[in-house]
Amino acid sequence: MTPAGQVDAWLGRLAGERHASPHTVAGYRRDLAKLLRYMDTERLLSFESLDANRMRTFIAAEHRAGLAPKSLQRLLSSCRSLFRQLHREGLMTHDPLLGVRGPKVRRKLPQVLDVDEAGALVESDSGGKLAVRDRAMLELFYSSGLRLSELVGLHWLDLNLDEGEVRVLGKGGKTRLVPVGRHAVAALRALGAEQGMPPESPVFRGRGGAAINPRTIQLRMNTLALQQGLPKHIHPHLLRHTFASHMLESSGDLRAVQELLGHADIATTQIYTHLDFQYLAKVYDAAHPRARRKP
């Protein structure tokens, strides 16, 4: 099988057996297309022909072409995942990325809303026929820290409003149970009373009763934020970051926040400890007599 055929086979397995999202598969495909182009240029007929020196040359070329450090790290990760699978299948006898490292990436802290800003956003009344749906979406995002894809994929049978729970299908096909706060429960009950709650029906519907388009949610959130005069760029993942930050500030329980967010690795969740420290540093600067800076 050609290298391109091996890539197609692996991506098909990711989508089928591992239930990777279309977005994830598309990202791997874009990254591995770069590697395939490099191999064509170098007239390399198999992945077995790659070695550490060639991979360093490949990464350096992509860097010179303008690929950012974060994108280079993702490119390496995509290649590493493919090579690992080929090795498991006996199609590669060595790791071409052994000892190869990409440039260091400065981890950018996610922006979050403060408590007042979050409250103003989720309680905003958009008016008109979409008001009930908008309120339920925003309350659920902030209440439970869902990803956009998770919220779009919700059906009424996934919700237990009496117990205040939602069953979420997350990344990699992993299911988790997440609490739903009382304000979100009330907003969802109002939405159900308005449109009905057939168990197999999407909670948030678009035209024709199908699940709402993710882009529609992004646009609605941005519109509502502008109406509220919020100075930040508002998007669904911002409310997930805000949920995580506020939970960690209140509880200090990093492991619990990891479970609520559905992070496979606690290192992903640890970025919110930096956000929490920033908050504490602001409190310290404002309160401690020796910390105050003179104007």
Side-chain angles (χ1 to χ4, degrees):
M1 189 182 294
T2 65
Q6 289 175 321
V7 168
D8 286 339
W10 181 63
L11 294 177
R13 191 175 297 111
L14 273 181
E17 297 175 11
R18 301 189 192 176
H19 308 290
S21 72
H23 178 75
T24 298
V25 174
Y28 278 124
R29 188 177 296 280
R30 285 192 298 272
D31 286 338
L32 295 172
K34 292 181 174 69
L35 178 62
L36 292 174
R37 284 195 295 272
Y38 167 74
M39 292 175 66
D40 284 342
T41 301
E42 297 295 312
R43 298 181 181 178
L44 303 175
L45 301 180
S46 72
F47 291 117
E48 187 72 9
S49 303
L50 294 169
D51 58 25
N53 286 333
R54 284 191 165 119
M55 291 304 297
R56 288 191 186 96
T57 300
F58 164 57
I59 294 299
E62 292 296 325
H63 188 40
R64 286 195 301 273
L67 206 61
K70 188 174 181 180
S71 298
L72 288 169
Q73 290 286 7
R74 192 195 63 211
L75 175 59
L76 281 169
S77 177
S78 297
C79 294
R80 192 170 283 112
S81 296
L82 172 65
F83 297 157
R84 195 176 295 129
Q85 179 60 35
L86 293 176
H87 186 267
R88 279 195 291 261
E89 295 175 3
L91 299 174
M92 289 190 76
T93 59
H94 68 289
D95 180 5
L97 284 173
L98 190 63
V100 178
R101 284 173 174 73
K104 287 187 177 181
V105 179
R106 269 188 83 186
R107 195 157 194 189
K108 191 177 178 182
L109 293 177
Q111 195 176 44
V112 297
L113 299 174
D114 63 33
V115 173
D116 291 336
E117 289 172 332
L121 178 63
V122 300
E123 293 172 9
S124 59
D125 185 356
S126 60
K129 62 182 181 180
L130 299 177
V132 175
R133 186 201 69 183
D134 289 345
R135 178 67 179 270
M137 283 193 310
L138 294 171
E139 288 282 9
L140 187 55
F141 269 133
Y142 181 45
S143 160
S144 304
L146 303 189
R147 298 179 177 95
L148 176 58
S149 60
E150 294 169 348
L151 184 132
V152 168
L154 280 185
H155 293 76
W156 284 107
L157 57 81
D158 298 318
L159 285 163
N160 184 340
L161 297 181
D162 292 333
E163 296 296 328
E165 296 174 345
V166 59
R167 186 175 65 251
V168 176
L169 183 64
K171 285 187 175 181
K174 294 179 181 177
T175 302
R176 70 184 189 280
L177 203 61
V178 184
V180 179
R182 59 187 177 89
H183 293 291
V185 167
L188 287 162
R189 287 194 191 280
L191 179 63
E194 180 180 85
Q195 69 176 25
M197 293 187 285
E200 300 291 339
S201 174
V203 175
F204 301 102
R205 305 176 199 170
R207 292 180 181 177
I212 191 170
N213 188 295
R215 183 61 178 156
T216 300
I217 297 177
Q218 292 169 331
L219 291 172
R220 287 299 297 166
M221 285 186 67
N222 197 45
T223 298
L224 293 170
L226 290 173
Q227 289 175 358
Q228 290 297 313
L230 293 175
K232 297 169 182 171
H233 171 57
I234 305 298
H235 51 88
H237 219 65
L238 177 62
L239 278 182
R240 179 170 160 87
H241 290 320
T242 300
F243 161 83
S245 180
H246 292 180
M247 284 293 299
L248 194 58
E249 283 175 14
S250 300
S251 70
D253 193 332
L254 187 65
R255 185 70 66 179
V257 174
Q258 178 196 3
E259 292 295 324
L260 290 168
L261 292 172
H263 287 161
D265 187 348
I266 199 168
T268 309
T269 319
Q270 282 174 333
I271 191 168
Y272 297 108
T273 63
H274 299 298
L275 289 171
D276 191 36
F277 180 79
Q278 284 188 337
Y279 167 77
L280 292 173
K282 286 181 182 177
V283 172
Y284 176 84
D285 283 342
H288 197 288
R290 294 286 188 184
R292 293 185 187 128
R293 295 178 176 85
K294 293 181 182 179

